[in-house]
């Protein structure tokens, strides 16, 4: 059973565009929603995270939007750059839990 | 402060052989997590260990897989009698306080079973 569903599987945008990656979760007890960025051959690196007490969080060009009632959250990348080309994973967990539940990943390509 | 170190980076094993994957956590971290990433899939939790203890192995396959984190030395994920379906990237993460929300990931070991 996939606890976190992620879409799209892949995404291609022009430089300067705003790619949006969506995730939906099942467990209403989840209270921490991070996004990870993974470059080829590297491990996932934490990009930005949100808790359900806010509907939006922005760090630089990266923004998370969170809809608690719909059990959905999304990542927006403003003014995307070729260097943002990577695979992005959403995840969810409970505070104090032993593990993260990951989405299946979105491969983003930003064309110069 | 070096990050989470995993070795080897790439490992090729023939079916039936044993694979040993090593993970040295970040300095000051005594909590280690292992995840497996199958091709075109997200990471899936396998096991969580503290020094000398397995805390949660709910994601570990029941057979052939084992993990340890001794008092001295790295954490080891061991796969006995490997099969083609074990081919994957295996990631280790470590945290200082034992919460998954504060874990840092290593670069992974890519296991190929031929």
């Amino acid at each position: 059973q996939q606890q976190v569903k992620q879409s799209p599987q892949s995404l291609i945008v022009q430089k300067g565009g705003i790619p949006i990656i969506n995730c939906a979760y099942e467990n209403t007890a989840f209270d921490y929603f991070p996004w990870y960025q993974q470059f080829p051959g590297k491990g996932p690196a934490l990009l930005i995270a949100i808790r359900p007490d806010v509907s939006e969080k922005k760090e630089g060009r990266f923004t998370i939007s969170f809809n608690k009632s719909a059990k959905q959250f999304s990542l927006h990348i403003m003014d995307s750059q070729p260097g943002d080309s990577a695979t992005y994973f959403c995840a969810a967990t409970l505070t104090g839990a032993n593990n993260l539940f990951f989405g299946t990943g979105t491969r983003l390509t930003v064309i110069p | 402060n070096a990050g989470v170190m995993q070795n080897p980076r790439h490992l090729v094993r023939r079916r039936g052989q044993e694979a040993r994957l090593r993970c040295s956590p970040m300095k000051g971290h005594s909590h280690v997590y292992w995840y497996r990433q199958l091709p075109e899939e997200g990471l899936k939790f396998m096991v969580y260990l503290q020094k000398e203890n397995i805390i949660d192995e709910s994601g570990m396959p029941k057979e052939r897989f084992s993990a340890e984190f001794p008092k001295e030395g790295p954490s080891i994920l061991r796969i006995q009698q490997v099969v083609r379906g074990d081919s994957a990237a295996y990631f280790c993460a470590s945290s200082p306080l034992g919460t998954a929300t504060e874990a840092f990931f290593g670069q992974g070991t890519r296991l190929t079973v031929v």
Side-chain angles (χ1 to χ4, degrees):
Chain A
Q1 181 189 3
Q2 189 72 24
Q3 295 263 10
V4 179
K5 294 180 180 167
Q6 183 172 348
S7 64
Q9 192 173 9
S10 62
L11 190 54
I12 301 173
V13 299
Q14 295 273 357
K15 178 183 172 185
I18 305 176
I20 301 173
I21 305 170
N22 301 298
C23 284
Y25 61 97
E26 293 294 324
N27 189 341
T28 54
F30 287 153
D31 63 357
Y32 180 77
F33 303 89
W35 284 90
Y36 286 82
Q37 181 186 56
Q38 185 181 28
F39 292 106
K42 304 292 186 183
L46 179 64
L47 192 60
I48 185 173
I50 196 168
R51 293 195 179 271
D53 52 341
V54 296
S55 61
E56 185 176 282
K57 183 173 181 181
K58 185 180 291 189
E59 286 185 5
R61 295 183 294 107
F62 300 92
T63 299
I64 300 179
S65 297
F66 186 81
N67 186 331
K68 189 174 181 178
S69 60
K71 295 190 292 183
Q72 295 176 346
F73 58 110
S74 59
L75 177 70
H76 303 231
I77 306 175
M78 306 300 174
D79 186 28
S80 59
Q81 302 295 313
D84 296 329
S85 297
T87 299
Y88 292 82
F89 292 96
C90 61
T93 191
L94 297 78
T95 300
N98 296 330
N99 61 298
L100 294 156
F101 295 93
F102 282 85
T104 50
T106 296
R107 184 174 294 178
L108 172 66
T109 304
V110 181
I111 301 170
Chain B
N1 185 9
V4 178
M5 304 300 292
Q6 289 188 248
N7 67 81
R9 294 291 309 279
H10 301 274
L11 183 61
V12 179
R13 285 287 177 265
R14 294 188 185 279
R15 280 178 294 173
Q17 290 185 320
E18 178 180 285
R20 280 184 174 240
L21 288 62
R22 294 175 185 75
C23 169
S24 296
M26 289 179 69
K27 188 176 180 181
H29 290 193
S30 58
H31 303 264
V32 165
Y33 311 81
W34 285 93
Y35 286 80
R36 177 165 64 175
Q37 183 178 30
L38 293 169
E40 306 301 322
E41 291 189 19
L43 285 76
K44 294 225 174 358
F45 170 77
M46 299 180 76
V47 62
Y48 161 46
L49 310 100
Q50 277 183 272
K51 284 283 187 181
E52 300 184 275
N53 289 301
I54 296 175
I55 307 301
D56 180 354
E57 56 182 349
S58 58
M60 285 280 268
K62 294 288 183 270
E63 297 178 351
R64 303 187 296 107
F65 285 72
S66 62
E68 63 178 18
F69 189 16
K71 188 176 180 181
E72 302 291 336
S75 175
I76 307 284
L77 179 68
R78 182 179 174 204
I79 311 172
Q80 294 179 291
Q81 299 175 330
V82 296
V83 301
R84 288 243 170 90
D86 297 332
S87 296
Y90 292 83
F91 289 95
C92 166
S94 72
S95 74
L97 298 175
T99 58
T101 57
E102 297 180 349
F104 293 84
F105 283 84
Q107 293 190 328
T109 292
R110 277 145 187 87
L111 172 66
T112 302
V113 179
V114 297

